[in-house]
């Protein structure tokens, strides 16, 4: 089996940029991710043990009863390692060295919403969540003034607003600019639509009922933090003429009440209101591409036992003894050239059938094998280039 | 923004290995009965069957293990007229060459009962359970493997749970210290029975568990009674042409039918897996006279340090929010963020423990 070394023109490192579509639908306190509903099993109502609209991190425990779930555990030692959900105080006081700290699966993530009433920065216990975004929002100010934490366009510390959190497991490295699409429906009718038309994070009202468009067509109702996966919705103009129950308030629909019922603690949102959050994520996949060359007059011999003519091999056996190991001389190769004619043997030609390519490291350790779908006939006149791709 | 770099010395760097585990229960309800065998995948080659935790056509299903069986060429059970004789030999040889290896003459060694390859009884006909890497992770934790199954089943009553009898628990007891290392596939432990000895000859070792490979090898003699089973289409099959024993199964049944017999006898498997977390810890030390100043543009106003509060004689103060790790060429390689800024003054010293997991 011959070895060939890849030269610098035969190895390429590339990055594939993929944009998976993400769509959340929120209705009646339920969240649906990419139109997936609950999948019931033989033992549990939801085989992933997560709420509908959630992603399970490892997707273990599929349809397992609650008394036979896979769970993680770790033994407390000097490494300060613990599992999620164990506070620093508990780690230090509730567990002794050698104690087993257990966790639980599934670990899940989903869309969530947080609404901030006017003046929340100083009055609300969760006000710190918007304050924590102050530096981040100001960082994007050069892209759009609407990112500014405080400006003539508003002061996010005290103005009424809503934050939508999209966990990065849904979108990858960042949300693709220009793909954010928020739709506000009342009884199935599109009341308003926001899009980041200019790829600058501004969520602009582009569609809706005549009433909603009269109030806010072309207006910026918030901004999206593409990398962080947070939408800040501040648009307070009315989208509906009638009032609806949005859980913590009953009033005319507006962008601040967008996605009401999405893991925000509200349980009595009007079923008439439904919301759609669409975007595309960005995933970077590093790939290694290798071109393995099979040049003319190369790779025309095989060390496979069946490559030797059996009768010839039997007549010239290998001789072994305490002082010798001698292979039979002039053992014939099997002629594998097929003839189109009956009872006629074609003239012998060197030919092999390439079925796999092994990739070795510099110490000749086999580290990967590429199999071809069907063996490739290799003759002296033919040359091939095999393109091997490895996702990392 | 870093203004001064500090070289990490050898005493500032430590490597650690932490072991994280998962408890893996695989109940008999998963393996047979619940899904009408829609979670059992058969293959046209008929050399093994795959068990999933949910009907395998669902994208949610996870492959959990494979079941197969085989015997050594020339063993008591082997005969060229047996069902799938060559495949059973090939399966045994494949498993043996990977898990036991070759002798000095290049011949495949057989599974040895007590692991002492120099001599003694061999396991020449075996059932094999190959667990998925999803469950085994880096390895099975030693002394955690327990397999409950029914060793003495009524051969006349296929798939009647009441016809199952002789429940035994086998495990790699004491394997934390008694494991063996003479396998090319890594470490392995001997499987013993803790309940009434199921073996007629009094031998208590009934198989091996290969920790890193995630493979369990069971000698065929763990099955004492009949081996009720099904064909691959689910048709009940009570094999009682001779004795209905494991030997009869190895001789007259296909590999898949033997695997189904194991699923029928199966009650529960429990083991813990192990995940190795390899880390490097960098101790980043900020002495009292270091890192009390910032090059952040907001640190100064009119060339005065803001946090001094217009008192030029006050000590400088900074707030550490980030630690950057640089290469010898001063290329930023990694950034560690603090959950909250740490106040640094000339009157305190800090050691920030930065952990990098691989």
């Amino acid at each position: 089996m011959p070895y060939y070394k890849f030269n610098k023109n035969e190895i390429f490192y590339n990055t594939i940029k993929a944009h998976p579509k993400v769509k959340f639908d929120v209705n009646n306190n339920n969240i649906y991710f990419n139109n997936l509903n609950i999948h019931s099993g033989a033992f549990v109502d939801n085989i992933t043990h997560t709420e509908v609209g959630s992603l399970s991190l490892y997707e273990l425990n599929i349809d397992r009863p609650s008394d036979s779930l896979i769970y993680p555990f770790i033994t407390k030692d000097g490494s300060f390692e613990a599992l999620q959900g164990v506070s620093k105080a508990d780690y230090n006081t509730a567990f002794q060295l050698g104690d087993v700290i257990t966790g639980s699966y599934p670990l899940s993530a989903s869309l969530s919403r947080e609404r901030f009433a006017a003046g929340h920065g100083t009055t609300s216990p969760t006000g710190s969540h918007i304050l924590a975004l102050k530096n981040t929002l100001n960082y994007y100010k050069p892209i759009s003034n609407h990112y500014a934490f405080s400006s003539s366009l508003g002061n996010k510390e005290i103005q009424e607003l809503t934050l939508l959190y999209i966990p990065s497991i849904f979108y990858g490295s960042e949300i693709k600019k220009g793909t954010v699409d928020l739709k506000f429906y009342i009884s199935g009718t599109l009341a308003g639509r926001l899009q980041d038309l200019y790829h600058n994070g501004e969520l602009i009202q582009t569609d809706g009922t005549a009433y909603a468009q009269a109030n806010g067509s072309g207006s910026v109702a918030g901004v999206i933090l593409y990398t962080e996966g947070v939408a800040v919705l501040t648009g307070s103009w009315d989208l509906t003429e009638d009032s609806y129950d949005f859980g913590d308030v009953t009033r005319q629909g507006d962008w601040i009440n967008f996605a009401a019922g999405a893991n925000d603690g509200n349980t009595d949102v009007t079923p008439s209101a439904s919301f759609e959050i669409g975007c595309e994520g960005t995933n970077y996949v590093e790939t290694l591409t290798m071109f393995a060359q099979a040049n003319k007059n190369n790779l025309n011999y095989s060390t496979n036992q069946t490559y030797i003519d059996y009768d010839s091999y039997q007549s010239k056996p290998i001789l072994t003894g305490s002082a010798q190991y001698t292979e039979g001389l002039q053992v014939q190769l099997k002629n594998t050239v097929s003839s189109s004619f009956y009872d006629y043997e074609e003239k012998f030609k060197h030919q092999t059938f390439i079925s796999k390519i092994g990739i070795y490291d510099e110490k000749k350790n086999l580290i990967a094998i590429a199999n071809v779908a069907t063996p490739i006939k290799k003759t002296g006149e033919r040359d091939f280039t095999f393109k091997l791709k490895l996702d990392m | 923004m870093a203004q001064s770099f500090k070289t990490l010395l050898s005493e500032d760097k430590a490597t650690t290995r932490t072991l994280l585990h998962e408890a893996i229960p695989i109940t008999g309800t998963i393996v047979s009965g619940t899904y009408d065998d829609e979670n059992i995948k058969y293959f046209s080659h008929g050399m093994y069957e795959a068990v999933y935790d949910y009907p395998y056509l669902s994208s949610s299903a996870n492959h959990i293990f494979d079941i197969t069986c085989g015997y050594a060429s020339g063993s008591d059970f082997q005969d060229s007229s047996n069902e799938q004789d060559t495949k059973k030999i090939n399966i045994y040889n494949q498993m043996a060459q990977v898990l036991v290896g070759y002798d000095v003459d290049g011949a495949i060694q057989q599974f040895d009962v007590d692991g002492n390859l120099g001599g003694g009884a061999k396991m020449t006909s075996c059932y094999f359970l190959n667990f998925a890497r999803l469950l085994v992770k880096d390895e099975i934790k030693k002394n955690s493997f327990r397999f409950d199954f029914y060793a003495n089943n009524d051969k006349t009553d296929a798939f009647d749970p009441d016809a199952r009898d002789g429940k035994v628990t086998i495990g790699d007891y004491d394997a934390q210290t008694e494991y063996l290392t003479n396998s090319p596939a890594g470490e392995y432990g001997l499987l013993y029975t803790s309940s009434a000895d199921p073996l007629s000859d009094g031998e208590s070792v009934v198989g091996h568990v290969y920790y890193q490979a995630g493979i369990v090898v069971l000698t065929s003699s763990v099955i004492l009674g009949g081996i009720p089973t099904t064909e691959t289409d689910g048709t009940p099959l009570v094999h009682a042409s001779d004795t209905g024993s494991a030997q009869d199964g190895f001789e007259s049944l296909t590999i898949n039918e033997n695997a189904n017999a194991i699923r029928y006898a199966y009650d529960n498997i429990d083991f813990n897996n192990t995940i190795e977390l390899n880390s490097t810890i960098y101790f980043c030390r900020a002495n009292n006279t270091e890192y009390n100043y910032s090059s952040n543009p907001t640190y100064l106003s009119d060339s005065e340090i803001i946090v001094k509060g217009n008192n030029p004689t006050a000590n400088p103060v900074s707030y550490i929010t980030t630690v950057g790790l640089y290469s010898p060429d001063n290329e930023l390689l990694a950034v560690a963020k603090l959950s909250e800024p740490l106040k640094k003054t000339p009157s305190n010293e800090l050691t920030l423990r930065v952990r990098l997991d691989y």
Side-chain angles (χ1 to χ4, degrees):
Chain A
M1 182 179 57
Y3 296 96
Y4 296 95
K5 192 171 182 180
F6 288 112
N7 66 39
K8 65 178 182 179
N9 291 323
E10 291 169 344
I11 292 192
F12 298 92
Y13 297 93
N14 288 305
T15 301
I16 293 175
K17 198 173 178 182
H19 297 294
K21 277 195 190 315
V22 178
K23 186 165 88 80
F24 290 101
D25 290 286
V26 181
N27 175 246
N28 202 14
N29 308 111
N30 292 316
I31 303 172
Y32 302 92
F33 169 61
N34 282 354
N35 296 330
L36 292 175
N37 205 340
I38 286 179
H39 197 169
S40 63
F43 297 106
V44 291
D45 292 337
N46 188 357
I47 59 171
T48 58
H49 295 268
T50 57
E51 297 287 325
V52 62
S54 296
L55 274 188
S56 171
L57 182 58
Y58 301 124
E59 288 207 2
L60 294 171
N61 293 324
I62 296 298
D63 196 25
R64 281 172 178 257
S66 57
D67 60 351
S68 60
L69 297 178
I70 297 172
Y71 64 89
F73 65 93
I74 193 169
T75 304
K76 179 177 174 177
D77 55 17
S79 66
F80 300 104
E81 302 265 11
L83 296 166
Q84 190 191 42
V86 178
S87 68
K88 192 192 288 182
D90 280 349
Y91 183 82
N92 289 330
T93 59
F95 298 100
Q96 303 299 315
L97 288 175
D99 283 357
V100 171
I101 304 169
T102 60
S104 64
Y105 290 145
L107 304 172
S108 66
S110 183
L111 174 77
S112 60
R113 170 183 182 264
E114 204 168 25
R115 179 177 171 276
F116 297 87
H120 54 80
T122 52
T123 60
S124 167
T126 57
S128 59
H129 292 184
I130 182 66
L131 295 178
L133 290 172
K134 181 176 180 178
N135 284 350
T136 308
L137 286 164
N138 284 335
Y139 178 77
Y140 294 112
K141 237 176 6 180
I143 300 173
S144 166
N145 273 337
H146 288 273
Y147 277 113
F149 191 74
S150 179
S151 71
S152 59
L153 296 168
N155 182 353
K156 294 183 175 58
E157 184 174 354
I158 56 172
Q159 76 184 115
E160 188 181 17
L161 56 84
T162 280
L163 294 182
L164 289 180
Y165 303 106
I166 305 173
S168 62
I169 192 172
F170 290 99
Y171 62 82
S173 298
E174 65 173 343
I175 295 170
K176 186 182 179 188
K177 293 180 175 66
T179 65
V180 179
D181 194 354
L182 310 184
K183 293 174 183 170
F184 191 133
Y185 292 97
I186 292 290
S187 300
T189 302
L190 183 68
R193 183 182 188 187
L194 293 182
Q195 290 175 285
D196 59 334
L197 283 183
Y198 305 119
H199 298 217
N200 62 353
E202 293 175 1
L203 296 171
I204 298 167
Q205 184 168 316
T206 58
D207 200 356
T209 59
Y211 179 82
Q213 286 293 78
N215 287 339
S217 177
S219 299
V220 176
V223 290
I224 178 85
L225 297 168
Y226 293 109
T227 310
E228 294 78 5
V230 178
V232 184
L233 298 177
T234 53
S236 58
W237 58 88
D238 293 336
L239 300 174
T240 63
E241 294 182 73
D242 299 328
S243 292
Y244 296 92
D245 189 350
F246 293 105
D248 43 7
V249 291
T250 299
R251 67 183 193 197
Q252 289 165 274
D254 58 17
W255 289 111
I256 293 170
N257 286 303
F258 183 79
N263 288 326
D264 57 0
N266 292 324
T267 57
D268 49 357
V269 178
T270 174
S272 306
S274 59
F275 313 95
E276 182 182 315
I277 298 111
C279 64
E280 290 179 20
T282 304
N283 279 330
Y284 296 98
V285 183
E286 307 299 327
T287 64
L288 170 64
T289 306
M290 294 168 284
F291 292 103
Q293 312 282 3
N295 293 325
K296 288 179 182 175
N297 294 322
N298 285 351
L299 296 168
N300 296 323
Y301 182 80
S302 170
T303 54
N304 196 319
Q305 279 283 317
T306 59
Y307 196 62
I308 297 171
D309 183 76
Y310 183 74
D311 293 334
S312 171
Y313 175 75
Q314 288 292 89
S315 64
K316 295 166 184 169
I318 294 171
L319 301 175
T320 59
S322 59
Q324 68 164 341
Y325 174 85
T326 309
E327 292 185 342
L329 291 174
Q330 296 183 336
V331 175
Q332 288 185 357
L333 301 182
K334 186 168 183 170
N335 186 9
T336 56
V337 181
S338 81
S339 170
S340 305
F341 303 103
Y342 175 72
D343 202 20
Y344 174 75
E345 187 171 326
E346 287 285 343
K347 190 179 172 187
F348 176 82
K349 273 187 179 177
H350 280 285
Q351 72 175 17
T352 56
F353 294 87
I354 298 174
S355 58
K356 61 183 68 177
I357 299 163
I359 307 297
Y360 293 78
D361 67 8
E362 58 271 12
K363 293 178 181 172
K364 290 201 169 64
N365 294 315
L366 180 63
I367 53 175
I369 293 174
N371 281 302
V372 292
T374 53
I376 308 290
K377 187 165 81 173
K378 175 75 178 71
T379 62
E381 299 83 37
R382 290 180 166 188
D383 56 350
F384 295 102
T385 299
F386 295 93
K387 183 183 178 189
L388 316 177
K389 203 178 91 176
L390 190 67
D391 287 354
M392 292 182 285
Chain B
M1 184 190 299
Q3 190 183 41
S4 58
F5 298 98
K6 192 169 181 180
T7 303
L8 289 166
L9 306 175
S10 58
E11 61 263 30
D12 299 326
K13 186 177 160 187
T15 56
T16 64
R17 193 186 68 161
T18 307
L19 301 180
L20 173 66
H21 306 285
E22 288 172 329
I24 312 288
I26 306 174
T27 59
T29 54
I30 296 174
V31 174
S32 67
T34 301
Y35 302 110
D36 294 331
D37 285 1
E38 289 176 358
N39 64 324
I40 309 299
K41 188 187 261 186
Y42 300 105
F43 301 90
S44 56
H45 52 64
M47 296 181 80
Y48 65 90
E49 68 183 35
V51 181
Y52 288 72
D53 61 358
Y54 197 66
Y56 63 82
L57 290 177
S58 166
S59 61
S60 298
N62 296 307
H63 173 229
I64 50 178
F65 64 92
D66 297 324
I67 312 175
T68 185
C69 67
Y71 46 57
S73 178
S75 63
D76 292 344
F77 293 2
Q78 192 261 323
D79 189 278
S80 58
S81 63
N82 287 351
E83 187 75 34
Q84 289 189 309
D85 179 62
T86 306
K87 288 183 176 178
K88 286 171 184 168
I89 293 171
N90 289 344
I91 287 286
Y92 185 92
N93 286 342
Q94 185 199 350
M95 289 295 181
Q97 67 183 342
V98 172
L99 299 174
V100 191
Y102 297 85
D103 63 14
V104 292
D105 297 322
I108 297 171
Q109 299 190 104
Q110 296 178 346
F111 290 97
D112 193 280
V113 172
D114 63 5
N116 181 3
L117 298 175
K122 305 291 181 187
M123 297 188 292
T124 54
S125 51
C126 303
Y127 300 103
F128 302 98
L129 305 180
N130 295 25
F131 290 92
R133 196 52 68 182
L134 176 78
L135 301 185
V136 173
K137 299 288 171 63
D138 289 339
E139 64 178 276
I140 294 172
K141 187 169 184 263
K142 298 179 184 72
N143 192 20
S144 74
F145 184 85
R146 300 292 181 269
F147 183 15
D148 302 332
F149 68 99
Y150 294 91
N152 198 359
N153 300 313
D154 186 345
K155 64 185 180 184
T156 63
D157 214 347
F159 283 83
D160 176 5
D162 295 333
R164 303 194 302 177
D165 196 13
K167 184 175 173 181
V168 293
T169 299
I170 60 173
D172 57 337
Y173 301 101
D174 296 331
Q176 254 167 333
T177 53
E178 299 296 325
Y179 62 88
L180 297 158
T181 57
N182 58 346
S183 163
E187 298 154 349
Y188 68 101
L190 305 180
L191 293 173
Y192 301 92
T193 171
S194 65
S195 55
D197 190 341
L199 298 177
S200 56
D201 63 1
E203 177 58 69
S204 61
V205 177
V206 294
H208 299 162
V209 52
Y210 291 83
Y211 297 111
Q212 286 83 28
I215 297 175
V216 170
V217 181
L218 293 175
T219 179
S220 61
S221 52
V222 294
I223 301 294
L224 292 178
I227 50 168
T229 181
T230 62
E231 297 176 23
T232 53
D233 63 0
T235 305
L237 178 66
V238 181
H239 200 264
S241 59
D242 290 324
T243 62
S245 65
Q247 177 171 354
D248 188 34
F250 269 83
E251 291 172 351
S252 307
L253 299 181
T254 65
I255 291 173
N256 284 335
E257 288 162 353
N258 276 287
N260 284 344
I262 289 292
R263 288 198 298 116
Y264 173 66
Y266 185 107
D267 184 56
N268 192 47
I269 281 181
D270 261 306
F271 66 86
N272 298 335
N273 68 25
T274 300
I275 304 158
E276 287 184 10
L277 299 175
N278 292 294
S279 309
T280 302
I281 298 169
Y282 298 95
F283 294 97
C284 303
R285 307 178 203 278
N287 293 328
N288 62 326
T289 57
E290 298 170 326
Y291 302 107
N292 298 316
Y293 185 82
S294 171
S295 56
N296 194 316
T298 60
Y299 193 64
L300 299 177
S301 175
D302 296 334
S303 299
E304 288 185 2
I305 298 175
I306 293 173
V307 288
K308 280 190 173 186
N310 294 326
N311 180 5
T313 62
N315 281 330
V317 178
S318 69
Y319 291 87
I320 299 175
T321 60
T322 307
V323 179
L325 297 179
Y326 289 78
S327 72
D329 300 329
N330 281 355
E331 291 170 319
L332 182 60
L333 298 179
V335 172
K337 291 277 188 184
L338 291 159
S339 60
E340 56 189 38
L342 287 176
K343 187 176 182 180
K344 180 72 185 72
T345 70
S347 61
N348 66 0
E349 292 188 347
L350 299 172
T351 299
L352 300 175
R353 186 173 173 273
V354 179
R355 200 184 77 210
L356 197 60
D357 290 344
Y358 299 102

